[in-house]
Each structure stands twice: as C-alpha cells, then as structure tokens.
Amino acid sequence: DSLSSHQLALSAQLHLEHWQRQISIFDFYLARLDIRQHAQRHGEALQELLQNSHVCTDYLGLSEADKQQLLSRELLNPRPLRALFAHYSPETQEVLATLDVIRESHQSLGSQCIDTYIISTCQRGSDILGLLLLMKECGLADLSQTPARCDLNVVPLFESVADLQNAATLMDELWQSPIYQTYLQARKNQQEIMLGYSDSAKEAGLIAAHWQLYHVQQDLSERARAANIALRFFHGRGGTVSRGGGPSHQAILAQPPHTLNGHIRLTEQGEVLAWKYHFPEMAHRNLSVLLSSVLEFLQQMPQAEPPQWHQIMEDLSARSYQAYRAMVEHSAFVDYFSQSTPLAHISELRIGSRPSRRKASLRIEDLRAIPWVFAWMQSRSVFPAWYSVGTALQEWAAQHGWAELQDMYQRWPFFRNLIDNLQMTLSKADMGIAAAYANLAHDKEREAIWPALATEMQATEQAILHISQQHELLSNRPTLQKSIRLRNPYVDPLNFIQLEALRRMRQAPDKTTPQGDDAGVSLAEVVALSIVGISEGLRNTG
C-alpha cells in the first residue's frame, strides 16, 4: 500500500507478488516439522504428573484397562494436573518443554509449522491417550469442549514385529473408544499411522518383516474403512533395502490394494537426501516420480492377489524368520559382527542425530538400525538385506517347484519389488571382499559364522535367478546393472585401504599414526575417510 501511494505500484506488483505467494503457502516457516519421542518417556512423565497431583501414586503399575480408564477421565476433566511451580525431573521437564515450544511456535509462526507428533515404540492404547493428556496439560488439546480441539496430529509408530502384529487390534479398539472418537472428530476423522521398516527387518529378516508390513496395512485399512476413518500410512523408510529403501516408483506400486487412497507419507533420509534432492533438477524429477507413482497406483488399482499367494508368503516368512533368528542368536554372532566390520568406528562418526545404541549393551536389539546396516554394507556382505532369503526360497521350491514363485514375480508387484530389490543389493555385495573382512575376526568366530554366510549368499543368488528367469543379476534392469558395475571398481580399493588401516590399528592400537609422508594423518582418520568414500560409492547404505 505504501509503495502504491508513492506511485510505485508497478514495482510493488513485480517484486512483491512472489514473496506474498510464498507467505500465503508457507506462512513464516519453510517446511513442516515432526516431533518424535519414545512412548516410555511419555509414560514416565505422566507417572510424575499424576503422582505429584495426588491423582494416582503408581500410574505405570496399573493394568492397561485401568490406565485407559484413568486417562479418559482426566482428558475430560478441566482441572489441570501440571503445577506451575512444581519440581519435575529433567526428563519430564524436557517432555513438557517440547510441547510448550510447539504451542508457542503455533502462536508465532502458524498452526501448521509443527503438525505431527510421532510416538516411537507405540505398543498400547494408553501410549496414545497418554500423549493426548500431556498435550492437554500444555494447552495443545481440549477434548472436554464442544467442538473438541486438538492442535497436533498424533501418530503411533509401530516398529517391532510384535507391535506390527498387534497394531490392527490396538487401533480398532481405540477407534471404538468414545474419548478417542472425540479426538478423531477434532482431526476431521483422519488417522495417520507410521510403519517402521528398520527395526522389524533387524529383528526378523527381510522376508518376514516386509510380509508383516504388507499384511498389517491390509488389516488396518479394512478396519479403518469399517470405522469410517480416513487412514494414511507414513512409511519410515531408510536408504538400504533392509530399511525399506529402493526405487520409490516400484515401492509405491507394490503397496497393497486400497491402502493408498491419494495420501502417502514417506521418509527420505541419510545420503538419499544428497543424491536425490541436492540439485533442483534432481529434486524436481524425484518429486515428479513420487507424484506420478501415486497417480498410476490410483488409476491402475492393483487387484487383490490370489489367496494361495498369501499362504506361500506365510510359509516363506516362517522359514526365513527361523533361519534368520538362528544366525543372529548364535553365540558367536555378535562378536563376529563387531570384529569383521568397522562398527566401532561408525559409532564414533558424527553422522547421526542419536546415539548408535539405545542402551549400553552389546545386544543386536539395542543397536540402532542405521549403524547395523551401515557396518554390514561397509564390509560388502550386506548381511541384513538377504540373509535367510535363500534358505526360505530354496526349501519351498524343493517341495513345490519354482513355477508358482515365477508366476508371483511376473504378476504381483509386491513380490516383484522384493525380488528386484534383492537383485540390486546382491549386485553391490562382494563376497571376495567380505571374506577379507571375515579374516579380521578371531578364528573361533570366523569359523562359526562365515561359512554359513557364504553358503547362504550363493543360495539366495541362485534362487533369485530361478525366480526372475535370468542368467545374471539385473539383466532386466541394464541401466542399473551398468551403473553398479561402473561404480564398484572405484569402491573396491577403498575397502582394501580400510581393511589395512583396521588391521594396523588392531595389531598396534597405540600406534595409530603412520610414518613417512603421511605422518600426522591418523589411521582412525583413514578409516573414517574410507567409510565416507565407500558409502558414497555404493549409495543407499544407511
């Protein structure tokens, strides 16, 4: 207005229109943020709030039914639980302060700047109702008023195999709850659910995890339709195949029928961000691929697969899970893993937002998924992405033949995507180099583990060639095959540099600096640089 009043209307139009359009789209933020916290932290905060306010002395000790009854009652009670000047533990203060910052951000930047709160390791209905009560105490929800108000999209994240198996029952019971129906009305009857690929694959192996994810989407979608709820899935995919990675186009087309109703969310993380979105042209192309894939899925809605294919996948899943657990529970496995990979050095790199382990233990379950797959990728064995697949496929084919599996590959997008991703992963693996890493392990651990890995690798490759009816991996995707073949020779020397540095460090841990022209460059730095180089060369490694 000021520019127009000073005869600068044309200048105002030319220079301000674009800026005004940006503000109308984004308000005063660029991208929406998600908040994510572990369900246990919420439970501990509620325990303290309820105890300090003399409402319940032992919230965490209640049964699930009693917890939900208490939470439902408090969500409708206008009386606050949070005392302004009470002394809470640092952990509880952090949970409450996070919610306070969300409320303040909504007030200053717009209500959409932070619109989703994800509950990690969600296992019970009380985990979801508990977050709603914490939001009430911080001014982000009021389910007692008419109409009800809730300023955040509450998203449960189901990660482990057990949690995925229980997800449909948990959500169905919650959708029947009057207090949760009030929340849904405040959110326009929309429900978002996040699915975790990493932990389920680390726990159960590739086939069992992917089949469970496929099955749970079908189950949840059917129950949501029956409850008249608009359901959207948020796929927590990583870069590697074992963390749900792979070509986005095929992954979207491989979703179960009627589970993608014009809405999908997925994570793009790690090195994927750099090589997909660093340049505007590449970002535009990859976003176009995502959009076109959803439109193609909706236009050519896949038909429900034959029931016998479900039975085959159940059989393959059970066989694969048994073989996978037999390996990771082997008494020598953890030691072999830590000795034959640069795991310790990966944990020291500043490449993640969280510690590499959830707890100070050597258990595989406590190791986060990124260092788990990253370490195996560095050693070129890529264990999590294929181990136990060969056993499952070979055993099933020995009883029933290959014809049905070949038909599934030709006509079922889910199964085809699974097999093609395995092709890509196996093409990046190199068992010759992996054998050299195996020699880093002590004799006892190497002899207990390595022969089984080598045998299973061969069985998996042969099974995939039988199913895809090819003579070599990726013959049906020549561009990708050529790309991997061009990159691998440049990556291989980095592996041998890393191997030599690891050997020297382990032989003389106190002498970490080489002599001569390279004096001053520590062996630890050599290992770190090689890790980055191998990751860049192989891609989708974390």
Side-chain angles (χ1 to χ4, degrees):
D1 289 344
S2 175
L3 290 171
S4 298
S5 66
H6 290 81
Q7 290 76 47
L8 291 170
L10 180 60
S11 175
Q13 182 177 354
L14 292 176
H15 295 285
L16 297 182
E17 271 190 353
H18 184 63
W19 184 62
Q20 289 175 318
R21 189 176 298 115
Q22 285 181 314
I23 294 173
S24 69
I25 295 171
F26 300 113
D27 285 341
F28 287 96
Y29 61 91
L30 176 63
R32 297 181 185 182
L33 297 181
D34 290 350
I35 303 297
R36 178 168 161 177
Q37 183 56 276
H38 198 286
Q40 182 179 347
R41 292 290 297 276
H42 296 151
E44 292 167 352
L46 283 169
Q47 165 91 353
E48 201 167 344
L49 284 174
L50 291 165
Q51 193 173 53
N52 282 14
S53 58
H54 303 288
V55 173
C56 179
T57 57
D58 187 15
Y59 168 75
L60 294 177
L62 297 178
S63 67
E64 175 61 15
D66 288 341
K67 282 182 181 178
Q68 291 198 30
Q69 185 177 18
L70 171 62
L71 294 169
S72 299
R73 184 172 66 247
E74 289 300 324
L75 279 165
L76 296 177
N77 191 336
R79 182 256 301 123
L81 297 170
R82 182 184 183 185
L84 186 60
F85 299 109
H87 176 72
Y88 298 116
S89 68
E91 292 78 14
T92 295
Q93 290 180 37
E94 182 188 26
V95 169
L96 297 174
T98 300
L99 292 167
D100 288 339
V101 168
I102 296 172
R103 184 191 67 253
E104 294 163 4
S105 299
H106 284 186
Q107 294 168 350
S108 60
L109 301 175
S111 61
Q112 296 301 306
C113 63
I114 302 172
D115 71 339
T116 294
Y117 197 120
I118 301 164
I119 307 171
S120 294
T121 318
C122 185
Q123 298 177 325
R124 306 168 190 85
S126 60
D127 292 336
I128 301 173
L129 295 177
L131 175 59
L132 288 173
L133 183 55
L134 290 169
M135 289 167 55
K136 167 188 173 269
E137 295 304 311
C138 296
L140 287 166
D142 188 347
L143 303 186
S144 64
Q145 67 180 23
T146 304
R149 177 179 63 85
C150 186
D151 298 338
L152 283 175
N153 182 27
V154 175
V155 178
L157 167 54
F158 301 110
E159 301 176 86
S160 71
V161 171
D163 292 345
L164 288 168
Q165 290 173 339
N166 187 50
T169 301
L170 185 159
M171 294 307 302
D172 196 26
E173 291 176 353
L174 206 55
W175 290 334
Q176 309 308 318
S177 163
I179 190 65
Y180 197 73
Q181 289 177 355
T182 303
Y183 157 76
L184 287 172
Q185 291 168 9
R187 301 300 300 179
K188 300 179 180 178
N189 231 33
Q190 296 177 346
Q191 175 73 63
E192 185 171 306
I193 293 175
M194 187 172 183
L195 303 172
Y197 287 69
S198 305
D199 286 347
S200 55
K202 179 162 67 73
E203 177 188 345
L206 189 74
I207 289 183
H210 276 56
W211 176 240
Q212 187 59 53
L213 285 159
Y214 189 91
H215 181 68
V216 75
Q217 288 181 73
Q218 290 183 315
D219 201 356
L220 281 165
S221 297
E222 290 173 4
R223 299 190 189 213
R225 283 194 294 273
N228 197 29
I229 292 169
L231 181 61
R232 178 171 71 183
F233 288 111
F234 183 3
H235 298 268
R237 305 168 72 225
T240 55
V241 168
S242 55
R243 297 187 61 227
S248 300
H249 179 71
Q250 287 84 351
I252 290 175
L253 296 183
Q255 297 304 301
H258 308 293
T259 60
L260 198 166
N261 301 310
H263 300 272
I264 189 171
R265 290 189 76 197
L266 52 88
T267 51
E268 298 273 47
Q269 54 187 302
E271 77 279 9
V272 172
L273 289 174
W275 55 267
K276 275 192 174 184
Y277 301 102
H278 184 72
F279 300 104
E281 294 82 2
M282 289 297 294
H284 186 275
R285 179 184 182 279
N286 281 291
L287 290 171
S288 298
V289 166
L290 294 173
L291 177 61
S292 64
S293 301
V294 173
L295 294 173
E296 184 177 346
F297 182 95
L298 296 174
Q299 186 179 25
Q300 304 173 4
M301 181 70 72
Q303 299 299 312
E305 54 278 353
Q308 67 267 26
W309 289 0
H310 276 227
Q311 293 302 317
I312 293 173
M313 285 306 304
E314 290 287 348
D315 192 335
L316 292 173
S317 178
R319 294 174 189 268
S320 174
Y321 179 81
Q322 184 178 8
Y324 183 85
R325 293 307 305 179
M327 173 53 71
V328 298
E329 291 173 5
H330 193 288
S331 59
F333 180 79
V334 172
D335 288 336
Y336 174 84
F337 171 49
S338 60
Q339 293 166 12
S340 66
T341 69
L343 175 65
H345 303 276
I346 290 170
S347 302
E348 294 170 1
L349 294 177
R350 297 177 181 176
I351 57 173
S353 58
R354 295 172 290 176
S356 61
R357 293 186 179 273
R358 294 185 174 92
K359 300 177 183 177
S361 83
L362 297 177
R363 296 172 67 248
I364 296 300
E365 289 76 10
D366 294 326
L367 181 69
R368 293 193 184 274
I370 292 177
W372 164 253
V373 297
F374 202 81
W376 285 114
M377 200 77 174
Q378 289 286 313
S379 69
R380 300 293 288 277
S381 62
V382 205
F383 166 88
W386 55 264
Y387 191 83
S388 76
V389 173
T391 293
L393 295 172
Q394 296 278 5
E395 287 181 356
W396 194 91
Q399 296 177 355
H400 307 283
W402 294 101
E404 190 74 15
L405 297 176
Q406 290 169 345
D407 189 35
M408 290 166 61
Y409 178 74
Q410 293 297 327
R411 298 198 292 127
W412 192 9
F414 163 76
F415 192 70
R416 185 181 185 89
N417 183 60
L418 181 67
I419 297 299
D420 283 348
N421 279 340
L422 280 162
Q423 287 194 70
M424 176 183 66
T425 297
L426 292 175
S427 296
K428 295 182 178 184
D430 188 311
M431 295 311 277
I433 294 176
Y437 277 87
N439 289 331
L440 292 173
H442 300 153
D443 292 345
K444 179 183 176 182
E445 286 77 14
R446 182 179 67 252
E447 292 169 5
I449 302 298
W450 171 248
L453 266 60
T455 301
E456 183 68 13
M457 172 67 147
Q458 186 177 14
T460 302
E461 182 172 341
Q462 290 174 349
I464 288 172
L465 292 176
H466 275 300
I467 292 169
S468 61
Q469 297 176 278
Q470 300 176 116
H471 295 296
E472 61 179 354
L473 297 172
L474 293 178
S475 293
N476 59 348
R477 300 177 67 185
T479 302
L480 178 59
Q481 183 189 60
K482 181 180 179 181
S483 175
I484 292 173
R485 284 179 174 175
L486 286 173
R487 289 201 305 266
N488 278 357
Y490 294 93
V491 178
D492 296 350
L494 294 174
N495 279 113
F496 290 109
I497 290 170
Q498 184 181 99
L499 276 164
E500 182 60 25
L502 289 171
R503 283 196 195 96
R504 294 188 188 185
M505 291 181 72
R506 294 179 184 185
Q507 289 169 359
D510 295 332
K511 299 179 180 179
T512 59
T513 303
Q515 302 299 313
D517 294 338
D518 293 327
V521 180
S522 71
L523 291 174
E525 290 176 293
V526 173
V527 173
L529 287 170
S530 67
I531 288 172
V532 174
I534 293 167
S535 174
E536 287 292 318
L538 293 178
R539 294 194 173 185
N540 55 359
T541 60

